[in-house]
């Protein structure tokens, strides 16, 4: 039996009076890549942000239902949100490196968590950059500013920064939408590599990208989960007419 | 709101090209069987001549499909239509080839004294024509029930072909002078039986396009 890493049951989400998610039931298996697809405003990014409680920061936001990580309620009272976000890392649409050196960007999370040992930091920065397929490109300029990297390199640096705190889950919100095709390809190759150690959930507007990188695909529309299944099936013979219309570009 | 209008138009154009190719193939089967049954050499020669048009359509549709795959990255039912249309054109082109083969039998037999009328060959000709017509209609109407019926009809084509073979063998045993002509009749029945097989493949492609179910090798009567 595959291990369910994250599960949501009857998940509702409100922005004040507006209900953005309706009764979402969805499981994410360990070491699988799941793509969340759907037209703008369908709730896929909102859903993604529920998983590491990024929506907590929005005034008037309210979550109902159940969302678990390894069977434990993410929204239970007393959950350490900082620790939760260490276990569930996130990469955003636009690369957002800190205005610091490449080394310090990757070491940042470790320092925040109290790691001071230079040897431990060096090893972690090295392995995280390697894990993000960036080490060979930056190994001779670790003390240079991260802002001097290309967009694709900056995004992989952000992935390295997320990997440094050894997360179990990586949430990716359109991680390649601001990148050129070569940089996109590198991110997609990286996703294939990372799933050996991580569970990955990716929001993407590119049907081709969802088809290329994911094992499973979930289609959202108007805040509801319309269909979820094996990516090969979703993109060749979806069961639901709305899913088919969306992935064939008939509406959006 | 309807989107991808340009792409949808291209898919409509693909369907139209397939229907045109199917119509040419239907005409080839109609003419080749009539030429055989009526010993009409002019009609048989026209079948041989017209096959180039079917081949040209296969090439044109292949190119069209390649461009659709490369430029439009189709998904789901659109992808199935394109993959299915490749199967359709391959089988339609082969039906055209079998019609040419049948026409060659007609041209050869016309140089020899006529054999008595063969009721089973007449039935076989009508049967495979019916199979092809229904396969084309199933594609046009996206009718998978009709496509399933064609699969079942293939059994009858096989049986008729086998009976033609058995009858020809017993006739040859009795009368050795007609061996050469009978061999050509047997081969003609084989060409017709193959047209039945290929029409069945068309029906299987229709089911794949409509439902995404791959029924190849399972869709037999």
């Amino acid at each position: 039996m595959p291990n369910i890493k994250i599960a949501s049951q009857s998940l509702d989400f409100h922005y004040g009076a507006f209900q953005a998610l309706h009764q979402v039931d969805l499981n994410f298996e360990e070491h699988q890549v799941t793509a969340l697809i759907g037209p703008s405003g369908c709730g896929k990014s909102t859903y993604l942000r529920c998983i590491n409680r990024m929506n907590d920061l929005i005034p008037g936001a309210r979550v109902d239902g159940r969302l678990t990580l390894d069977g434990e309620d993410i929204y239970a009272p007393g959950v350490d949100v900082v620790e939760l976000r260490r276990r569930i890392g996130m990469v955003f649409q636009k690369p957002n490196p800190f205005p610091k050196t490449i080394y310090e960007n990757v070491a940042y999370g470790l320092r925040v968590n109290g790691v001071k040992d230079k040897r431990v930091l060096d090893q972690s920065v090295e392995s995280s950059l390697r894990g993000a397929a960036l080490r060979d490109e930056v190994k001779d300029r670790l003390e240079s500013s991260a802002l001097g990297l290309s967009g694709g390199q900056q995004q992989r640096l952000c992935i390295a920064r997320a990997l440094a705190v050894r997360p179990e889950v990586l949430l990716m919100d359109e991680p390649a939408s601001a990148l050129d095709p070569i940089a996109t390809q590198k991110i997609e190759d990286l996703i294939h590599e990372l799933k050996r150690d991580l569970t990955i959930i990716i929001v993407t507007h590119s049907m081709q990208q969802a088809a290329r990188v994911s094992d499973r695909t979930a289609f959202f529309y108007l805040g509801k989960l319309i269909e979820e299944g094996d990516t090969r099936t979703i993109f060749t013979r979806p069961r639901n007419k709305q899913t088919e219309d969306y992935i064939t570009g008939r509406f959006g | 709101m309807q989107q991808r209008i340009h792409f949808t138009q291209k898919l409509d154009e693909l369907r139209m090209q397939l229907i045109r190719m199917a119509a040419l193939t239907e005409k080839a089967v109609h003419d080749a069987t009539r030429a055989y049954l009526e010993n009409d050499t002019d009609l048989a020669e026209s079948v041989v001549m017209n096959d180039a048009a079917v081949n040209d359509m296969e090439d044109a549709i292949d190119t069209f499909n390649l461009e659709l795959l490369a430029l439009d990255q189709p998904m789901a039912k659109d992808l199935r239509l394109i993959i299915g249309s490749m199967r359709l054109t391959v089988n339609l082109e082969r039906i055209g080839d079998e019609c040419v083969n049948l026409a060659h039998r007609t041209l050869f037999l016309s140089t020899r004294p006529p054999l008595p009328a063969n009721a089973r060959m007449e039935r076989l000709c009508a049967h495979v024509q019916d199979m092809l017509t229904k396969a084309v209609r199933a594609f046009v109407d996206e009718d998978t029930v009709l496509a399933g019926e064609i699969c079942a009809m293939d059994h009858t084509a096989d049986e008729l072909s086998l009976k033609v073979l058995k009858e020809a063998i017993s006739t040859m045993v009795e009368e050795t002078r007609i061996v050469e002509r009978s061999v050509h009749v047997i081969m003609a029945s084989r060409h017709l039986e193959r047209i039945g097989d290929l029409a069945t493949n068309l029906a299987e492609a229709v089911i794949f396009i409509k439902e995404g179910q791959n029924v190849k090798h399972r869709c037999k009567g």
Side-chain angles (χ1 to χ4, degrees), chain A residues 207-208 211 234-238 241 244-245 247-252, chain B residues 1-4 7-8 11 73 75-80 211-213:
Chain A
M207 296 301 101
Q208 281 69 39
I234 295 282
F235 284 98
T236 54
R237 45 193 170 93
K241 173 85 167 58
E244 179 142 87
D245 284 349
I247 64 173
T248 57
R250 298 299 194 285
F251 83 94
Chain B
M1 186 181 77
Q2 177 78 7
Q3 294 198 349
R4 293 197 92 180
F7 177 60
T8 305
L11 291 182
Q73 291 102 39
M75 293 285 190
K77 64 182 179 184
D78 301 335
L79 180 61
R80 297 202 304 270
E211 295 179 349
Q213 298 294 324

Side-chain angles (χ1 to χ4, degrees), chain A residues 33-124:
Chain A
V33 179
T34 304
L36 309 184
I37 61 169
S40 296
C42 71
K44 56 191 187 299
S45 287
T46 298
Y47 182 81
L48 193 76
R49 286 159 176 268
C50 284
I51 297 172
N52 68 345
R53 295 185 52 171
M54 290 288 282
N55 292 326
D56 287 11
L57 308 170
I58 300 169
R62 193 178 88 238
V63 178
D64 297 305
R66 190 172 156 84
L67 191 54
T68 60
L69 171 65
D70 288 334
E72 297 194 359
D73 192 345
I74 288 169
Y75 284 89
V79 167
D80 178 348
V81 178
V82 174
E83 171 61 9
L84 177 77
R85 291 185 190 143
R86 184 200 65 74
R87 294 176 68 191
I88 306 176
M90 191 159 190
V91 176
F92 299 86
Q93 183 177 1
K94 269 185 75 176
N96 54 352
F98 302 136
K100 293 172 177 288
T101 65
I102 293 168
Y103 183 98
E104 285 304 326
N105 262 275
V106 182
Y108 185 84
L110 294 163
R111 289 198 197 279
V112 167
N113 280 285
V115 178
K116 292 190 176 111
D117 186 327
K118 179 79 166 74
R119 205 162 50 88
V120 174
L121 288 171
D122 285 353
Q123 277 176 356
S124 182

Side-chain angles (χ1 to χ4, degrees), chain B residues 15-157:
Chain B
R15 283 193 197 89
M16 284 310 299
Q17 287 194 40
L18 286 166
I19 291 167
R20 275 187 227 115
M21 185 177 178
L24 282 179
T25 314
E26 273 191 279
K27 184 173 186 315
V29 173
H30 176 265
D31 289 353
T33 51
R34 212 182 95 203
Y36 177 84
L37 295 174
E38 296 177 6
N39 198 22
D40 184 337
T41 54
D42 288 344
L43 195 55
E45 278 171 1
S46 78
V47 170
V48 176
M49 290 272 290
N50 292 339
D51 188 49
V54 175
N55 295 344
D56 288 347
M57 286 224 68
E58 186 195 19
D59 292 346
I61 294 172
D62 272 357
T63 304
F64 196 74
N65 276 328
L66 190 67
E67 287 171 4
L68 282 172
L69 286 171
L71 305 180
D72 293 287
Q73 291 102 39
M75 293 285 190
K77 64 182 179 184
D78 301 335
L79 180 61
R80 297 202 304 270
L81 173 63
I82 292 168
I83 300 295
S85 77
M86 290 171 166
R87 294 182 187 171
L88 290 174
T89 53
V90 164
N91 286 290
L92 287 169
E93 191 274 333
R94 286 182 186 162
I95 289 172
D97 289 346
E98 294 297 343
C99 291
V100 169
N101 293 337
L102 183 61
H104 284 307
R105 303 295 153 216
T106 302
L107 292 170
F108 173 83
L109 288 168
S110 72
T111 63
R112 301 289 189 274
L115 290 165
N118 185 330
R120 287 199 204 285
M121 281 297 279
E122 286 173 22
R123 274 190 62 200
L124 184 55
C125 285
H127 189 73
V128 299
Q129 264 195 79
D130 193 28
M131 286 178 76
L132 178 59
T133 302
K134 283 182 172 162
V136 174
R137 198 180 343 133
F139 170 70
V140 172
D141 296 344
E142 299 185 359
D143 185 343
T144 52
V145 175
L146 184 59
E149 286 174 22
I150 296 151
C151 298
M153 288 172 78
D154 193 38
H155 185 57
T156 305

Side-chain angles (χ1 to χ4, degrees), chain A residues 154-166:
Chain A
Q154 286 186 7
Q155 192 63 304
R156 278 180 285 142
L157 181 70
C158 293
I159 293 172
R161 190 172 66 195
L163 295 181
V165 292
R166 304 179 71 81

